[in-house]
Amino acid sequence: MSILRQLLLSLILVAVVGGGWLFYQRPAFVFGTPETVGDATRPAGPGGAPGGRPGGVGQTLVGTVEVGTDDSATEVRAIGTAAAARSVTIYPQVTGIVTDIAFSPGATVERGQTLLALDAADQQVALDRANIALDAARETLDRSERLEKTGNVTASVLSDARKAVQQAEIDVRMAELDLAKRTIRAPFDGVIGLTDVTVGDLVTSQTAIATVADMSSVTVAFDVPERVVGKIAKGEPISAMAAALPGATFAGTVSAIDNRIDPATRTMKVEATLPNEAADLKPGMTVTTDLNVAGEIRPAVPSLAIQWDRKGSFVWKMDGDTVHRVGVQIVARRSGVGTVAGDLAPGDEVVVEGVLRLREGATVVRAGGPPGAAPDESAPEAVSGSDAAPLATPRAAARAREAG
């Protein structure tokens, strides 16, 4: 490459870099100074020059809006699985032949109700034998006690008779327990499910008979993000919807909160309880939960007021007729409004129109009229929200006056 071509490329590069710096640091040299607002909207400056600054430098027309507040709650929506408040699968304690099934699948059962009976002939015989032995032991004890009064029996014989009665009573209780294990009863009130067991089946302690579930309420476990963990407490209201029951909404409360955050998902498990008197919700159903977490009151400004530069996001805050740069952190956005954290308070005034020509400490003119003057009814109205129509620019206002 020739020296002349290298020199030419270097000059082009310097011109591009210099132009970019001039555009960013001195936009007035590129676009020209801001046009002034006509006599109908502001007074003349010193020496008859229009504008509020000496030397005829114009003031920028801006639209402003007051800072509002946003205290809306954070909605946490999650999907969980319904589970019965209490649920147990029933197993027999012993091995035996099924002789009777005393329930219908899907029916409501009460605590203590007989569900299934096993062959108990051997256990009944053992109980009868134990009762006979107990009666014999008691008769022997009675005879020994009578003889002891006349001195015809030793103390050791009387003691052995008493121990024999105690042993016979224990044998009776053991026989009664063995016989009771042959009858399977409901542990609590609930609804019993299907069973694969029929009369005549040989069942063991590993054979599942059926599942009894307390359907008066259901629990739903779901995960919440780490950022709302400290804002959730037991007893907070929650609403839920089931995919199998379109249009139905169930109201419940938070009943349990886990004690740890999952390091893989950065979520914590929360459990809610939903009343289910009508038994519409079934265990295993997919349930969508909605939990509203109380939000912190923060300043809210229209999205048009938020600007960015190398230092981050900021807004132009009005101090009388002067603007100042205030750094803000965007917390949330919704419907054209940004919730921010920064040195702003409700009622402060921020610029939403004309922000591109503002500089720190610049004096501006509100769209509603000159500083310190009553609003001009013929002038454009000040912006009062993020949905307001854009304001007319100073150049457009000047052209309108010339046309009039």
Side-chain angles (χ1 to χ4, degrees), residues 9 13 18 28 48 94 119 124 130 240 286 366:
L9 290 176
L13 180 61
V94 294
D119 180 26
Q124 185 62 54
T286 300
R366 292 174 177 81

Side-chain angles (χ1 to χ4, degrees), residues 5 64 69 83 126 134 141 152 164 187 191 226 239 252 257 284-285 328 333 343 356 371 402:
R5 180 173 298 179
T64 62
T69 58
L134 177 60
L141 178 61
N152 294 324
V191 178
E226 181 180 5
S239 62
I257 301 175
M285 274 188 176
V328 296
R333 286 178 178 269
D343 187 17
L356 296 180
E402 292 175 359

Side-chain angles (χ1 to χ4, degrees), residues 179-234:
L179 182 61
K181 290 178 181 179
R182 299 287 162 166
T183 301
I184 301 173
R185 303 180 185 276
F188 49 78
D189 296 348
V191 178
I192 193 166
L194 298 175
T195 182
D196 294 328
V197 176
T198 60
V199 173
D201 282 346
L202 175 65
V203 297
T204 68
S205 59
Q206 303 299 317
T207 305
I209 302 302
T211 299
V212 176
D214 181 1
M215 304 291 291
S216 60
S217 63
V218 298
T219 60
V220 180
F222 56 94
D223 296 325
V224 299
E226 181 180 5
R227 59 186 173 86
V228 301
V229 164
K231 302 177 182 179
I232 300 177
K234 292 177 64 175

Side-chain angles (χ1 to χ4, degrees), residues 121-170:
D122 293 343
Q123 287 70 31
Q124 185 62 54
V125 170
L127 178 60
D128 294 340
R129 184 182 295 115
N131 283 324
I132 293 173
L134 177 60
D135 292 340
R138 286 173 176 171
E139 290 177 357
T140 301
L141 178 61
D142 289 341
R143 186 166 52 252
S144 298
E145 288 176 345
R146 288 194 302 270
L147 293 175
E148 191 269 339
K149 293 178 181 179
T150 60
N152 294 324
V153 67
T154 62
S156 61
V157 172
L158 181 61
S159 176
D160 290 342
R162 288 172 178 169
K163 291 180 180 178
V165 171
Q166 293 175 351
Q167 182 63 49
E169 290 175 344
I170 292 174

